[in-house]
Amino acid sequence: MPMLNQINAAEEREVRDALVRIDVLARSPGAWRIARLPSLTNRSFLVERGDVASAQAYVLRLPGRGTEQYIDREGEAANARAVAGLELAPPILYSDPASGVMLSRYIAGAVPLSPESLREGDHFRAAVGLLQRLHGSGLAFTGEMRLYPKLDQYLAMASTPALRELRRAGEALRPVIEPGWGPLRPCHIDPAPHNFIAAAGRYFLLDWEYAAMCDPVWDLAGLSIEGRFEAAQDAAMVAQYFGATSPLEAWGSRLHLYRIMLRLVAASWGAVQIAAGNGSWTAAELVDPLVALTAVDLGDPDLGRHLAAAA
């Protein structure tokens, strides 16, 4: 069961106002029970009504402040519905691209993964396998995600001297990263542990707002970062995803380079959230640690070896 939080009166009014505008919910009356679900930029709520035997349960998503500047909500809805059709995600029951409000089916008994549980054997294999199914699904997602253009979009919205300096240094990785290592595939883009949920032996991925056609290495490197993988987990991920005979050194270096630049993307995204007042974060907790890690990796004397191995 996910962690539930109380909501204040203003949020409750906002949720109830959104619910009455959703036609699919108007067919059966009843009082709503509302609880806040953990979320970052957006706000998500568990909304339920009915008794235990006939309870209706949904997840209502209200968009975060300023997200309309860099999220294609129409594309998000199309992509989320496509993956739900493959049972990789919960069904989408309602979406309004103009407002960003979305309603999805709540998966009873679902438990979000944590970095610790993600590294456990069954959860680990399931998460990697789910990404592999997504990438090999043949879906044609709306939109493309390319690392350097996305980074530059965030930096145009909010930047600091440290981020601009790292962006200049990161250009040295571009000739290796930007061509990619195969065709673009449907990718999730934000494979954080809490976006994987487990329910009765089945696994689903949540939060498809960044989903697009992309280099699958983005998802694998993102999973490595968010799961706090060590070398052994990276090797196991590569072996499961690409096969036991895959060139481990090359893929290890490709993941390493992608992780460097994804941390810079995440730091720049964080700067945008702070500038928009979206959440209560400070740069010291959201941006500065990523800046420090990126600076160390870009200054590593071993960087050249990774560039050569990844090419």
Side-chain angles (χ1 to χ4, degrees):
M1 187 68 183
M3 184 182 301
L4 303 178
N5 299 305
Q6 295 294 321
I7 63 173
N8 58 43
E11 277 188 326
E12 182 169 353
R13 284 193 299 272
E14 192 175 358
V15 170
R16 293 188 185 280
D17 286 345
L19 292 173
V20 299
R21 293 195 294 270
I22 299 177
D23 289 341
V24 71
L25 300 180
R27 298 171 192 159
S28 56
W32 290 106
R33 301 184 296 278
I34 304 169
R36 181 83 179 263
L37 292 166
S39 52
L40 295 178
T41 49
N42 302 308
R43 291 171 296 154
S44 296
F45 303 87
L46 173 60
V47 294
E48 300 176 283
R49 64 183 173 188
D51 57 27
V52 174
S54 61
Q56 304 169 43
Y58 309 94
V59 175
L60 180 76
R61 194 280 307 280
L62 301 180
R65 185 182 304 162
T67 54
E68 72 282 353
Q69 298 180 66
Y70 54 88
I71 297 294
D72 175 5
R73 294 297 182 191
E74 190 168 357
E76 174 198 9
N79 295 338
R81 285 196 169 95
V83 293
L86 297 179
E87 298 186 343
L88 299 177
I92 304 299
L93 304 178
Y94 170 87
S95 65
D96 178 13
S99 67
V101 172
M102 180 177 284
L103 185 79
S104 58
R105 183 77 65 189
Y106 176 70
I107 305 297
V111 177
L113 301 187
S114 65
E116 294 73 24
S117 64
L118 174 63
R119 295 193 297 270
E120 296 172 1
D122 289 345
H123 292 324
F124 176 88
R125 287 186 291 273
V128 175
L130 201 158
L131 291 177
Q132 194 170 25
R133 285 177 58 204
L134 170 64
H135 299 160
S137 67
L139 293 176
F141 273 178
T142 298
E144 291 185 1
M145 181 73 80
R146 297 186 183 273
L147 193 154
Y148 282 87
K150 177 54 66 173
L151 172 60
D152 290 339
Q153 180 189 20
Y154 289 152
L155 291 177
M157 296 169 66
S159 185
T160 66
L163 287 171
R164 289 193 292 272
E165 181 179 347
L166 290 173
R167 170 62 183 86
R168 287 190 292 270
E171 189 68 15
L173 282 60
R174 191 170 190 166
V176 175
I177 288 178
E178 193 158 72
W181 296 282
L184 300 184
R185 305 279 189 182
C187 291
H188 184 271
I189 308 298
D190 187 21
H194 62 263
N195 282 333
F196 292 87
I197 59 173
R202 299 183 64 192
Y203 292 81
F204 302 88
L205 254 174
L206 309 178
D207 192 358
W208 295 86
E209 64 181 348
Y210 296 100
M213 301 300 288
C214 185
D215 189 333
V217 180
W218 182 309
D219 276 350
L220 300 180
L223 190 68
S224 175
I225 292 172
E226 299 287 354
R228 304 171 195 162
F229 288 0
E230 296 181 353
Q233 279 105 27
D234 280 341
M237 177 173 64
V238 167
Q240 178 180 335
Y241 188 96
F242 294 104
T245 60
S246 57
L248 182 58
E249 182 180 2
W251 283 114
S253 289
R254 291 164 186 172
L255 285 171
H256 178 72
L257 297 178
Y258 234 99
R259 278 195 301 263
I260 293 174
M261 295 308 298
L262 284 188
R263 288 193 179 101
L264 185 53
V265 170
S268 303
W269 173 91
V272 171
Q273 306 313 308
I274 292 168
N278 195 9
S280 57
W281 298 299
T282 65
E285 61 185 340
L286 189 62
V287 176
D288 294 352
L290 292 167
V291 165
L293 284 171
T294 305
V296 168
D297 284 338
L298 286 173
D300 186 352
D302 212 27
L303 184 62
R305 177 182 68 81
H306 286 295
L307 287 167

